């Protein structure tokens, strides 16, 4: 069987009217494989999103689907109730069932596939298009958190234990660093050695959010897990945000992970795949627009403690993603898909450069958070030093 026939056989298993016309790859994901399937009848056309879940990353893919079922049922009910008061039509994909009534199908070769409705007439971008776009991205994330704020986090499974728990990534990094392959890579590259120093200088900071969770300052809620800029869909006609997609990592966690992850993505105008490091920086105008959008929807459920850790979350998640890419490079590219040798190393350089830019702009970012959100004073760190202490430069 060719790849095309295999894909077609999978797409045919979903309960969609009409004849299957095409299955087209959708580029962009670093973990799962995504396709668009087009079905036609005499009168109409339907397009759905068909995805193969990466089983090396998600060992219990059926939990993704039980979470998704709960989340979409809850959100769709709420959206229905709130629709008359809304300034736009908020959307969220629905699970497309298989012809035998299940939420996913298997391809007979161990592949786990599921399908979702495609939200039509929308666009998404890999990079911020300007402050209006950043404002909409903030609004969409704030709305998503608001919609989930009355769903009990304990009802959802942890589909990816340790996801966004920065100290766990540090432990994994430490284990990888000891392997002969990693030692070789660090020795062979000035850049890799420089990134390793960058990590060492921020070791104490890595636990800032988890320490706050242990102290009881921050409480787990439901999070999206991957609110990067290209997961936010904008209405093609109005430019307003209508939807956030890529719901595989919706699970209990700290909303700070989402806040920091969205900002490390939207406020880096060059994007996470930029080749020229000189173009990578944290744009505080985009940051302010995002924060205003987020606050317009999230203001009612942010506690004073939540507000205190917002800056740290921005700095932490750029550091964390850089650490994840770097660790994967040292481990031989086992987690993120790569297109060339050194791809993960370069991705790590981009995130560390961004982290450094966030550190350099700390006072401005804190002022923005305070003026929009009423953020409290800087949060303490484990060793009592101010959060900004101990740095090395990654950019030249
Ligand atoms: C991965 O596969 P994708 O692109 O949706 C990763 C995110 C990272 C992102 C960086 C499950 O997301 O955490 O922020 O790459 N997802 C997982 O582009 O690890
Ligand atoms: Mg994702």
């Amino acid at each position: 069987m060719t790849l095309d026939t295999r894909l077609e056989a999978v797409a045919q298993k979903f309960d969609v009217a009409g004849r299957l016309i095409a299955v087209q790859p959708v580029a962009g994901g670093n973990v799962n494989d995504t396709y668009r399937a087009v079905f036609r009848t005499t009168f109409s056309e339907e397009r759905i999103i068909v995805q193969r879940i990466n089983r090396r990353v998600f060992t219990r893919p059926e939990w993704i689907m039980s979470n998704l079922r709960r989340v979409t049922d809850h959100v769709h009910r709420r959206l229905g109730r709130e629709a008359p008061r809304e300034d736009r039509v908020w959307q969220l994909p629905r699970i497309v069932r298989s012809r035998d009534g299940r939420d996913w199908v298997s391809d007979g070769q161990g592949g786990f596939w599921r399908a979702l409705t495609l939200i039509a007439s929308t666009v998404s971008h890999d990079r911020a298009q300007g402050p209006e776009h950043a404002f909409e991205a903030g609004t969409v994330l704030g709305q998503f958190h608001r919609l989930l704020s009355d769903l009990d986090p304990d009802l959802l499974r942890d589909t990816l234990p340790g996801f966004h728990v920065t100290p766990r990534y540090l432990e994994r990094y430490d284990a990888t660093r000891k392997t002969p392959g990693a030692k070789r890579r660090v020795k062979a590259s000035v850049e890799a050695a420089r990134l390793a120093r960058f990590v060492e200088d921020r070791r104490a900071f890595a636990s800032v959010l988890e320490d706050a969770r242990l102290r009881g300052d921050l409480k787990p809620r439901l999070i999206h897990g991957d609110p990067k800029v290209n997961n936010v869909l904008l209405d093609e006609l109005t430019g307003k945000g209508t939807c956030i997609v890529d719901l595989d990592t919706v699970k209990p966690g700290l909303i700070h992970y989402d806040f920091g992850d969205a900002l490390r993505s939207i406020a880096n105008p060059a994007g996470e795949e930029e080749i020229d490091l000189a173009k990578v920086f944290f744009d505080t105008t985009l940051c302010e627009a995002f924060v205003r959008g987020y606050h317009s929807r999230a203001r009612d459920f942010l506690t004073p403690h939540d507000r205190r850790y917002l800056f740290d979350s921005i700095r932490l998640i750029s550091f964390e993603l850089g650490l994840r890419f770097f660790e994967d490079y040292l481990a031989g590219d086992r987690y993120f898909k790569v297109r060339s040798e050194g791809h993960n190393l370069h991705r790590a350089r981009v995130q560390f450069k961004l982290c450094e830019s966030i550190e350099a702009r700390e006072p401005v970012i804190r002022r923005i958070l305070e003026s929009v959100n009423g953020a409290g004073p800087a949060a303490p760190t484990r060793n009592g030093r101010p959060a900004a202490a101990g740095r090395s430069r990654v950019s030249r």
Side-chain angles (χ1 to χ4, degrees):
M1 248 199 213
T2 65
L3 175 65
D4 283 356
T5 20
R6 270 213 310 274
L7 289 174
E8 281 166 18
V10 167
Q12 305 271 19
K13 292 189 182 200
F14 292 101
D15 191 12
V16 183
R19 181 188 292 188
L20 179 67
I21 301 299
V23 185
Q24 305 151 334
V26 177
N30 289 334
V31 174
N32 296 325
D33 299 317
T34 306
Y35 301 88
R36 190 187 302 107
V38 185
F39 294 79
R40 275 188 202 140
T41 67
T42 311
F43 314 101
S44 65
E45 176 168 294
E46 190 164 342
R47 287 159 186 251
I48 60 167
I49 293 292
V50 179
Q51 285 176 306
R52 175 171 44 202
I53 306 297
N54 183 332
R55 298 194 77 154
R56 235 168 40 158
V57 171
F58 296 101
T59 49
R60 301 297 301 263
E62 68 281 10
W63 287 357
I64 294 182
M65 297 314 291
S66 57
N67 283 357
L68 199 56
R69 180 54 67 197
R70 274 200 192 273
V71 165
T72 51
D73 285 353
H74 177 83
V75 170
H76 290 147
R77 253 197 316 274
R78 245 189 110 160
L79 288 179
R81 274 200 314 270
E82 295 177 1
R85 295 193 299 277
E86 278 295 351
D87 64 344
R88 69 192 82 187
V89 179
W90 286 103
Q91 298 178 293
L92 193 75
R94 176 169 64 68
I95 298 171
V96 178
R97 283 215 164 97
S98 66
R99 293 191 194 278
D100 55 1
R102 291 180 307 127
D103 279 352
W104 70 89
V105 306
S106 145
D107 60 11
Q109 295 172 318
F112 184 104
W113 295 80
R114 61 96 193 279
L116 300 171
T117 54
L118 182 139
I119 303 292
S121 305
T122 53
V123 285
S124 69
H125 304 279
D126 290 335
R127 286 181 287 272
Q129 304 297 295
E132 294 80 11
H133 182 197
F135 180 87
E136 289 304 321
T139 309
V140 168
L141 184 63
Q143 166 76 340
F144 188 73
H145 284 168
R146 194 181 70 77
L147 290 168
L148 291 183
S149 61
D150 61 340
L151 181 61
D152 180 1
D154 291 337
L155 293 175
L156 269 73
R157 306 278 208 161
D158 190 346
T159 49
L160 209 51
F163 188 56
H164 285 315
V165 178
T166 320
R168 297 270 286 270
Y169 292 115
L170 211 46
E171 282 167 23
R172 182 186 301 206
Y173 167 81
D174 287 340
T176 300
R177 270 296 262 123
K178 295 195 184 103
T179 63
K183 284 186 183 153
R184 204 173 48 244
R185 286 188 176 89
V186 172
K187 220 169 157 192
S189 155
V190 179
E191 277 305 283
R194 194 161 59 86
L195 297 199
R197 283 197 301 280
F198 189 90
V199 173
E200 291 316 311
D201 287 341
R202 284 151 187 83
R203 202 168 262 286
F205 168 67
S207 60
V208 62
L209 293 185
E210 289 305 310
D211 288 348
R213 189 213 291 251
L214 288 176
R215 274 197 301 273
D217 289 356
L218 300 180
K219 303 231 169 351
R221 307 202 199 144
L222 286 177
I223 63 161
H224 179 276
D226 188 14
K228 60 180 175 182
V229 55
N230 57 12
N231 282 333
V232 171
L233 306 189
L234 306 170
D235 183 322
E236 215 171 57
L237 301 175
T238 64
K240 285 195 176 194
T242 75
C243 183
I244 186 159
V245 291
D246 193 6
L247 306 172
D248 303 327
T249 43
V250 175
K251 64 186 200 98
L254 301 177
I255 54 169
H256 293 70
Y257 300 150
D258 276 356
F259 188 81
D261 202 26
L263 268 166
R264 66 104 195 136
S265 173
I266 194 91
N268 166 14
E272 61 187 74
E273 298 284 339
E274 175 59 54
I275 299 298
D276 182 358
L277 272 196
K279 292 192 180 140
V280 175
F281 74 103
F282 189 81
D283 184 323
T284 50
T285 306
L286 294 173
C287 169
E288 176 160 10
F290 174 92
V291 175
R292 284 192 188 287
Y294 184 78
H295 193 248
S296 73
R297 296 273 158 174
R299 89 170 66 76
D300 292 342
F301 64 80
L302 286 182
T303 67
H305 272 310
D306 286 337
R307 292 166 203 266
R308 259 182 115 185
Y309 289 92
L310 291 176
F311 172 77
D312 289 317
S313 76
I314 306 171
R315 181 181 171 211
L316 186 71
I317 301 298
S318 60
F319 171 71
E320 179 195 277
L321 184 58
L323 178 67
R324 293 174 62 198
F325 285 139
F326 187 38
E327 188 276 333
D328 202 32
Y329 167 73
L330 295 179
D333 304 321
R334 291 195 299 215
Y335 186 98
F336 296 105
K337 293 183 206 164
V338 290
R339 282 183 293 280
S340 57
E341 166 63 29
H343 193 168
N344 273 323
L345 177 67
H346 188 71
R347 285 168 168 158
R349 294 170 74 212
V350 169
Q351 290 307 313
F352 285 171
K353 171 77 193 293
L354 189 65
C355 177
E356 196 177 62
S357 172
I358 291 165
E359 291 168 347
R361 289 165 174 76
E362 176 171 346
V364 185
I365 300 170
R366 284 196 185 276
R367 264 202 303 282
I368 292 169
L369 292 170
E370 239 161 84
S371 73
V372 183
N373 270 316
T381 61
R382 189 193 264 166
N383 59 13
R385 280 187 308 176
R391 282 157 194 182
S392 63
R393 284 189 65 80
V394 132
S395 57
R396 289 165 201 291

